[in-house]
Amino acid sequence: MATASVAFKSREDHRKQIELEEARKAGLAPAEVDEDGKEINPHIPQYMSSAPWYLNAERPSLKHQRKWKSDPNYTKSWYDRGAKIFQADKYRKGACQNCGAMTHDSKSCMERPRKVGAQWTNKHIAPDEKIETFELDYDGKRDRWNGYDASSYALVIERYEARDNARRKYLKEQQLKKLEEKNNNQNDEDGDGDGDGDSDEEDDEDDLRVDEAKVDESKQMDFAKVEKRVRTTGGGSTGTVRNLRIREDTAKYLLNLDVNSAHYDPKTRSMREDPLPDADPNEKFYEGDNQYRNSGQALEFKQLNIHAWEAFDKGQDIHMQAAPSQAELLYKNYKVIKEKLKYQTKDTILERYGNAAAEEELPRELLLGQSEREVEYDRAGRIIKGQELALPRSKYEEDVFINNHTCVWGSWWKDHQWGYKCCKQTIRNSYCTGAAGIEAAEAVNELMKSNIARKGATEEVAAPVEEKRLATWGTDVPDDLELDEKLLAEALKKEDIRKREEKDERKRKYNVRWEDEVTAEDMEAYRMKKVHHDDPMKAFLS
């Protein structure tokens, strides 16, 4: 606890102070605040948080742990590389005999040795360099990246990107080459060589995927990465651990950002309570550390520890940390003996007192013949009252006749419609017409059937409609258009050659002649070869 100068406290005040510290460590009380309004970690030891008496600190603070003396001469800047300060026109006395700069001598000159130095030629005098001196602090002297230009790493990135682009281009060319060879060989292959062609095709595809597989392996997550823990002075490893954390999972302290939610202890990385107590339990994957402590193998391990403690108190030589295998074996034997003793006690009780549940079952007439209904009989044994059953009635009105109907709605059904049986009407609020209405409805139906039959007999047969001939992609073709099959085949070949030249510019010839005349066959070939991006069968046509 970060306290001010030590003052005398009574026993009661000292006890309250200790309880407050424990509450702050457990997260039940707010942390202490220093002079700047920042919270002080309650887990900091007292010998570090308490200020010396000679500082006369009135409020809790951690300023006495910070460096309060700073040298203004220390800097973290670096040399201005390549900076020039002055360009002379002629050689000056005391300058470098080789290049003519005043900032160094001929022994320290970094320029190529001239055949005739600048001292004698008085030409091409080099500019003076910028000389700087720094007094670095402790961190600046040991900073291995001090003065590093981060923009220089762009050259490394460009080199790797150029290599990846060249690799992708090479793979694409190889794949196109394989596809062209396969298309050329399909025309020459016979039916007997189909199996061999499929196997060769699979081998080619496997060869093309080799480099892709290598790249995928390099991009794998380091989920199964094995790291060594080095804790000994000699540098030996005490064991290995696998990195089992999935980086996409949300951290437990970010599940609920409310300050009044479950407390998270950053030192032990524990959150005992549930951060989302009101959420759906089927959608939660984390319910606090207490859930893990009270379920699964943690509960079994707790019972194992309790058994080891109780056995040790009763005089058995058992220790969970010294001999865990022995403790687990004794606990298993204890559970087996306890189960046997339980069944033995049960058998003893059944043997002495018997088992009423295992005897013969009572007849069904006796089990179901009892009821709480009261029935009265006379001297002759006849039932006076209590035997009759009350008919169940619904909450709706029953046997209510409206509009002069003698039957209720729903008493008649025909052609998937409900109606009244008395007049055979399917309209709910209609007025009852009786037998006359039934006869009138039948007469109307017969008249409708006769009219339909007469109309079908006199109706002329419709003339067949001549189907319109459509082009490849649904456009209308004029009636006078006639396509020549030979010219259409030649146009299709020309279209294939044109598309192949568009894919590979290297196959285009130097002397290219353009024809402005487009025939109907050329237009039809263009429609047949055109790629429609919204066509769901596009992948199978290419």
Side-chain angles (χ1 to χ4, degrees):
M1 174 181 172
T3 56
S5 59
V6 179
F8 176 76
K9 294 181 180 179
S10 63
R11 180 177 298 179
E12 185 67 20
D13 295 340
H14 184 68
R15 184 182 61 81
K16 291 181 180 180
Q17 185 68 26
I18 293 176
E19 291 179 354
L20 181 59
E21 292 178 2
E22 294 295 334
R24 285 173 177 168
K25 291 180 180 179
L28 302 177
E32 197 172 10
V33 182
D34 60 359
E35 297 177 356
D36 300 333
K38 298 179 180 179
E39 294 183 353
I40 299 175
N41 191 344
H43 297 283
I44 296 178
Q46 186 177 5
Y47 73 91
M48 295 176 60
S49 59
S50 58
W53 59 272
Y54 51 82
L55 291 181
N56 295 326
E58 297 180 357
R59 295 192 60 186
S61 175
L62 293 176
K63 287 186 177 180
H64 60 279
Q65 292 288 348
R66 301 186 182 94
K67 184 179 179 182
W68 55 280
K69 288 184 178 181
S70 59
D71 193 345
N73 297 327
Y74 287 156
T75 180
K76 290 186 178 180
S77 57
W78 200 247
Y79 302 100
D80 190 4
R81 296 181 179 179
K84 310 297 181 181
I85 56 176
F86 179 70
Q87 175 70 48
D89 297 333
K90 59 181 180 178
Y91 181 78
R92 295 160 292 176
K93 185 178 181 181
C96 177
Q97 299 177 359
N98 184 37
C99 65
M102 288 291 295
T103 52
H104 61 271
D105 53 4
S106 58
K107 292 183 179 181
S108 304
C109 184
M110 300 297 295
E111 192 177 336
R112 178 182 61 83
R114 302 181 184 180
K115 187 174 182 180
V116 180
Q119 180 182 4
W120 295 279
T121 60
N122 208 14
K123 295 179 180 179
H124 304 292
I125 305 299
D128 299 341
E129 295 91 352
K130 184 178 180 180
I131 305 299
E132 297 176 285
T133 57
F134 298 113
E135 187 177 357
L136 300 177
D137 55 357
Y138 181 85
D139 295 332
K141 292 178 182 178
R142 291 158 180 80
D143 187 5
R144 53 196 291 257
W145 296 101
N146 194 2
Y148 174 73
D149 187 8
S151 61
S152 62
Y153 192 71
L155 300 176
V156 180
I157 298 176
E158 291 177 0
R159 185 171 72 252
Y160 278 92
E161 288 180 351
R163 186 192 67 178
D164 293 341
N165 294 334
R167 177 178 151 278
R168 293 194 197 97
K169 185 178 180 181
Y170 173 76
L171 288 176
K172 190 174 182 180
E173 292 176 356
Q174 291 294 326
Q175 191 172 5
L176 291 175
K177 185 177 179 181
K178 295 289 183 182
L179 292 175
E180 290 178 1
E181 292 178 358
K182 185 180 71 173
N183 293 333
N184 295 332
N185 295 334
Q186 279 181 356
N187 300 327
D188 302 334
E189 286 180 355
D190 297 335
D192 299 338
D194 292 341
D196 299 336
D198 296 339
S199 61
D200 295 341
E201 182 180 350
E202 293 177 359
D203 295 339
D204 296 339
E205 291 179 357
D206 293 339
D207 295 339
L208 292 176
R209 294 195 194 100
V210 170
D211 294 335
E212 294 294 340
K214 291 181 180 179
V215 175
D216 294 340
E217 289 178 1
S218 63
K219 292 182 179 180
Q220 282 182 352
M221 296 172 57
D222 52 352
F223 181 77
K225 182 180 178 182
V226 179
E227 299 176 352
K228 289 187 176 180
R229 291 179 178 175
V230 180
R231 292 184 179 177
T232 57
T233 56
S237 62
T238 59
T240 58
V241 62
R242 288 188 179 272
N243 185 11
L244 298 179
R245 179 184 174 189
I246 302 177
R247 300 295 179 181
E248 287 78 8
D249 289 346
T250 306
K252 62 177 73 174
Y253 53 83
L254 296 179
L255 294 175
N256 192 350
L257 301 180
D258 188 5
V259 294
N260 298 323
S261 62
H263 174 70
Y264 174 75
D265 186 9
K267 184 176 182 181
T268 59
R269 298 179 183 177
S270 62
M271 182 181 286
R272 296 180 178 87
E273 299 178 2
D274 188 0
L276 299 172
D278 300 331
D280 187 5
N282 296 327
E283 298 180 357
K284 291 191 297 185
F285 66 94
Y286 179 75
E287 299 180 359
D289 296 340
N290 290 336
Q291 179 68 19
Y292 299 134
R293 294 179 180 178
N294 299 327
S295 61
Q297 295 182 350
L299 189 59
E300 298 178 2
F301 185 72
K302 186 186 298 184
Q303 294 176 355
L304 179 59
N305 281 328
I306 294 174
H307 173 262
W309 297 335
E310 293 178 352
F312 183 78
D313 293 340
K314 293 179 180 179
Q316 294 188 14
D317 188 9
I318 179 175
H319 197 279
M320 186 60 196
Q321 281 72 31
S325 301
Q326 179 189 7
E328 187 174 0
L329 181 60
L330 291 176
Y331 181 60
K332 288 183 179 179
N333 295 337
Y334 165 75
K335 290 196 295 184
V336 172
I337 295 172
K338 184 179 179 181
E339 194 70 19
K340 288 182 178 180
L341 183 60
K342 178 181 177 182
Y343 282 107
Q344 185 178 359
T345 305
K346 181 180 179 181
D347 295 340
T348 304
I349 295 173
L350 293 177
E351 184 179 355
R352 174 173 294 184
Y353 300 103
N355 186 5
E359 295 180 356
E360 296 181 359
E361 296 182 357
L362 295 175
R364 187 177 182 86
E365 294 79 7
L366 294 178
L367 291 176
L368 303 178
Q370 300 178 3
S371 64
E372 297 181 356
R373 186 172 44 195
E374 296 182 0
V375 181
E376 294 185 7
Y377 300 90
D378 57 2
R379 291 180 178 272
R382 292 186 294 266
I383 299 175
I384 300 175
K385 66 175 182 178
Q387 186 66 22
E388 63 276 3
L389 298 176
L391 296 176
R393 299 182 63 85
S394 65
K395 63 180 180 180
Y396 304 102
E397 295 181 350
E398 297 182 3
D399 299 335
V400 177
F401 306 107
I402 61 174
N403 295 337
N404 202 25
H405 287 286
T406 58
C407 297
V408 296
W409 168 260
S411 58
W412 186 65
W413 168 267
K414 186 179 181 181
D415 298 336
H416 302 281
Q417 288 183 341
W418 293 104
Y420 295 99
K421 187 178 180 180
C422 55
C423 58
K424 294 185 180 180
Q425 294 194 59
T426 57
I427 301 175
R428 180 69 180 270
N429 296 324
S430 63
Y431 192 82
C432 183
T433 57
I438 296 175
E439 294 176 359
E442 292 177 355
V444 169
N445 291 334
E446 291 178 359
L447 180 60
M448 185 180 296
K449 290 179 182 179
S450 61
N451 291 337
I452 292 175
R454 186 172 59 256
K455 183 179 180 181
T458 59
E459 186 177 7
E460 296 180 358
V461 181
V465 181
E466 184 179 358
E467 295 184 358
K468 242 184 178 183
R469 184 186 169 203
L470 299 179
T472 304
W473 294 105
T475 57
D476 293 333
V477 177
D479 297 332
D480 56 346
L481 178 63
E482 294 182 0
L483 296 177
D484 191 356
E485 299 297 337
K486 294 183 180 180
L487 296 179
L488 181 60
E490 292 178 1
L492 289 174
K493 291 182 181 179
K494 290 181 181 180
E495 186 67 19
D496 290 337
I497 295 173
R498 186 184 66 81
K499 284 185 173 292
R500 198 177 299 115
E501 289 179 355
E502 286 181 358
K503 291 183 179 178
D504 194 354
E505 294 289 340
R506 295 175 298 177
K507 293 187 178 181
R508 178 175 290 180
K509 300 179 181 179
Y510 292 102
N511 300 326
V512 180
R513 293 185 302 172
W514 298 96
E515 296 180 1
D516 297 332
E517 296 181 0
V518 180
T519 62
E521 287 80 5
D522 295 340
M523 199 64 192
E524 182 67 10
Y526 171 75
R527 293 194 189 98
M528 294 173 67
K529 295 292 184 179
K530 183 179 179 182
V531 177
H532 289 260
H533 296 282
D534 57 347
D535 188 5
M537 301 296 290
K538 181 187 68 173
F540 299 92
L541 297 175
S542 59

